Amino acid sequence: MSRLRTIAPAIGMVLALSGCASATPTPSPAASTAATPAATTAPAASAASPEASATTAPSQAAAACTDSGKFKGANVNILTFNGPQIAEPLQRRAPDWECLTGGHVNVVAVGFQTIYDKALLDASTGTNAFDAYVFDPQWLGDFVGPGYLLDLTDRVQNDPQLQWNDIGPFFRDFNATYNGKVYTIPLDGDFHMVYFRKDLLDKDGVKPPATWDDYISIAQKYQGQDLNGDGQPDYGSCIAKKKGAQSYWWIISVAAGLLQGKGTNDGAFFDTSNMNPLFGQNEAMTKALQLYKQTVQYGPPDELNMDVGGTRGLFTTGRCALTMDWGDIGTLTPGTYAQDKTGATVTPGWKQVLDRSSGKLVPCDATTCPDAVDGVNYAPFASFGGWSGAINAAAPKDNQDAVYDFLSYMSSPPISGVDVTLGKTGYNPYRASQFQNLQPWLDAGLSKDAATNYLGAIQATLQNKNMVLDMRIPLTKRYEQDVLDTALAQYLAGELDEAGTEQAIADGWNQITDEAGKDKQLAAYVASLGVQR
């Protein structure tokens, strides 16, 4: 068994919740598959925030609290994603934090396509309707430079509640840090992985996919079979492909092993010598697009209009042999058809890699792919990076203190150690203790084998020397959500061929780069690739 299949550490002791928070019952494994938080009445939204605030009805613990605490009277606003994942744990935990501190949290949740623009508008116009943003750390390049975010470096390193050093070095030094200073508190760890129906593959003597060619072969084998015994034909592969629904990350995972072969610092988006887009016209991108489109043949008929919620539902009900997703699938399976039938593995790799000087594919060898395993260049993708909390530098000092304490509470080992095990939260593990303590995963309904396999696949990604870092430079949102997502949707719809798609991406990216300043963007990109793990 290769180092890419390293399993998680053994069982550790569970950290117990204390004080008021311990009175809040942990959701049952069956409840962990639910997606919708309890409905509540929200305070009136301001003119700058037309969306209604969504806060959870007080728990029994909060209802029993006295009106006191170090943040008594504080009323803070947090902007985040209306998944309903991501907002859910903030909403559910807010009353217990109020019980402990006397402060009140309003969670304003908006769509993914909206959150970046809304946060940037709030900060850049001086509206400052929000005291904090729980958002994508990819966007720090657009928020740190103008001074919109509070420097948290001293706070996090001197906060016994947060236990900063328990957070994995990658999440501390990459996700949370920009230009050497800490600006966010990690709440989530995100990596793409491939999930497979372990029961089917074991029965048929089929190994999990090591390469993307293997992935296609397995998908083809199971396409049209009844995979869950309901008498209906099912699907070999389910991959979200809907425009405007975060689907562009999937093509990055497919292309990564063709574009980056010499380690994380090599980069997968731009040539680090000249800022030329690697997603432009070259044989690697052509091959990645062709395979990505080929997966449509083995997916549900409406896959081009399906977001990740749809593909997750198909997989957990036993209707897909393979899927690619973040860590959520592993924690969504308890109580579903896929419970104890699911395996997880590092995203597949390739046996070829791009020669950047010629634009041609060349075989992997000790020079072109020095970390290849059995000739396969794995390049697992740290997709998105994990939802993180940042504090508005212009918020009132008392609100900054209160919202910092709430984010620290949410990330603290006793709280986050439970929330990352629940599929409804959208949070995935990012702390050392979350890999060492197996008991919370068992409490959430995973078997020991399933939990060990799941955590091992995440660790294998994190430890891979050729792990691909997500783009993290100024205007990242435009590069990915605007240009890449649009070109990809046009390609899948048949409006562009491979060459046209590659040209559209290259032209769009070059335009953004030129607008921002090529030298500035190149320096930011190269700096973003230096990370400790």
Side-chain angles (χ1 to χ4, degrees):
M1 184 170 289
S2 74
R3 65 182 177 84
L4 287 173
R5 303 295 188 270
T6 304
I7 63 172
I11 301 174
M13 294 298 292
V14 181
L15 292 170
L17 278 72
S18 61
C20 302
S22 64
T24 303
T26 300
S28 67
S32 72
T33 60
T36 306
T40 60
T41 301
S46 69
S49 306
E51 296 81 8
S53 299
T55 53
T56 306
S59 67
Q60 292 180 350
C65 288
T66 58
D67 186 19
S68 63
K70 57 183 176 180
F71 296 115
K72 180 181 178 180
N75 190 357
V76 299
N77 299 314
I78 297 177
L79 177 69
T80 193
F81 172 50
N82 66 356
Q85 302 83 9
I86 311 307
E88 187 280 331
L90 300 171
Q91 295 161 340
R92 172 168 44 86
R93 298 289 192 180
D96 293 330
W97 178 80
E98 183 170 356
C99 159
L100 291 166
T101 69
H104 182 73
V105 175
N106 303 307
V107 179
V108 178
V110 299
F112 183 76
Q113 288 294 96
T114 304
I115 184 172
Y116 168 90
D117 292 328
K118 188 168 183 61
L120 192 60
L121 183 67
D122 180 66
S124 64
T125 61
T127 303
N128 299 317
F130 302 103
D131 302 293
Y133 314 102
V134 174
F135 63 5
D136 184 351
Q138 281 185 289
W139 302 333
L140 287 183
D142 294 322
F143 285 81
V144 171
Y148 299 150
L149 301 182
L150 188 67
D151 179 356
L152 305 178
T153 307
D154 291 339
R155 292 189 188 227
V156 299
Q157 293 173 350
N158 295 286
D159 181 357
Q161 174 178 248
L162 181 61
Q163 296 190 33
W164 185 244
N165 289 334
D166 181 50
I167 296 173
F170 169 75
F171 301 102
R172 295 198 313 263
D173 299 338
F174 183 69
N175 283 13
T177 302
Y178 197 86
N179 289 338
K181 296 182 179 180
V182 176
Y183 290 96
T184 74
I185 295 177
L187 300 172
D188 171 37
D190 280 334
F191 298 96
H192 267 175
M193 299 186 292
V194 160
Y195 296 89
F196 56 92
R197 281 286 301 279
K198 187 176 185 300
D199 58 327
L200 298 177
L201 271 61
D202 286 351
K203 175 177 66 70
D204 295 332
V206 177
K207 294 181 179 179
T211 68
W212 282 106
D213 290 331
D214 294 340
Y215 185 99
I216 290 296
S217 295
I218 295 171
Q220 186 176 24
K221 175 180 176 62
Y222 291 105
Q223 174 67 11
Q225 292 190 30
D226 178 6
L227 305 181
N228 62 358
D230 67 356
Q232 300 296 316
D234 294 314
Y235 315 113
S237 168
C238 295
I239 295 177
K241 294 185 170 75
K242 182 179 179 180
K243 183 181 185 296
Q246 309 184 59
S247 299
Y248 54 88
W249 272 301
W250 275 250
I251 187 60
I252 301 171
S253 278
V254 173
L258 293 168
L259 297 173
Q260 178 179 292
K262 296 181 179 179
T264 296
N265 291 349
D266 201 24
F269 294 98
F270 301 96
D271 188 313
T272 55
S273 67
N274 55 24
M275 202 60 182
N276 287 343
L278 299 179
F279 275 60
Q281 289 186 308
N282 58 63
E283 289 186 354
M285 198 60 197
T286 299
K287 192 175 186 69
L289 286 169
Q290 289 172 342
L291 184 133
Y292 184 66
K293 197 168 192 176
Q294 191 177 1
T295 64
V296 176
Q297 300 176 29
Y298 310 114
D302 58 342
E303 192 174 58
L304 299 191
N305 295 311
M306 189 168 285
D307 62 17
V308 69
T311 56
R312 288 172 182 172
L314 288 175
F315 188 87
T316 56
T317 54
R319 302 210 62 196
C320 305
L322 296 167
T323 191
M324 179 166 54
D325 203 335
W326 290 285
D328 304 70
I329 289 284
T331 53
L332 284 167
T333 58
T336 73
Y337 183 88
Q339 181 170 355
D340 296 328
K341 298 181 178 71
T342 299
T345 187
V346 181
T347 51
W350 295 90
K351 294 188 176 182
Q352 295 175 293
V353 70
L354 178 68
D355 176 2
R356 297 182 180 182
S357 63
S358 68
K360 305 292 185 182
L361 286 170
V362 297
C364 274
D365 58 28
T367 300
T368 59
C369 307
D371 297 306
V373 177
D374 298 328
V376 178
N377 182 48
Y378 294 92
F381 178 36
S383 172
F384 188 91
W387 293 89
S388 303
I391 298 174
N392 188 339
K397 175 64 165 57
D398 289 348
N399 283 22
Q400 290 178 349
D401 292 342
V403 79
Y404 171 85
D405 191 81
F406 176 67
L407 294 171
S408 169
Y409 169 79
M410 290 298 304
S411 184
S412 65
I415 300 301
S416 64
V418 172
D419 285 346
V420 297
T421 70
L422 306 177
K424 67 178 180 177
T425 66
Y427 292 174
N428 304 147
Y430 60 95
R431 286 181 171 271
S433 58
Q434 292 163 0
F435 290 92
Q436 295 163 352
N437 295 340
L438 208 60
Q439 191 59 48
W441 303 96
L442 305 182
D443 293 342
L446 277 73
S447 68
K448 182 177 179 181
D449 285 347
T452 301
N453 169 251
Y454 167 74
L455 294 172
I458 297 175
Q459 285 189 310
T461 293
L462 185 59
Q463 295 165 0
N464 190 286
K465 294 180 180 179
N466 198 39
M467 179 181 71
V468 170
L469 300 179
D470 212 340
M471 194 188 300
R472 197 164 184 257
I473 59 177
L475 304 179
T476 286
K477 185 262 184 184
R478 287 177 56 190
Y479 284 106
E480 291 190 343
Q481 286 178 243
D482 298 346
V483 174
L484 180 60
D485 197 31
T486 298
L488 188 62
Q490 290 175 316
Y491 172 65
L492 292 174
E495 299 169 10
L496 294 174
D497 60 9
E498 288 86 6
T501 304
E502 294 160 28
Q503 190 66 55
I505 296 169
D507 288 347
W509 285 13
N510 284 330
Q511 181 179 348
I512 297 168
T513 297
D514 290 343
E515 177 185 326
K518 186 173 182 178
D519 291 343
K520 173 186 171 184
Q521 292 296 83
L522 178 58
Y525 183 60
V526 172
S528 77
L529 299 176
V531 60
Q532 300 296 317
R533 287 175 286 174

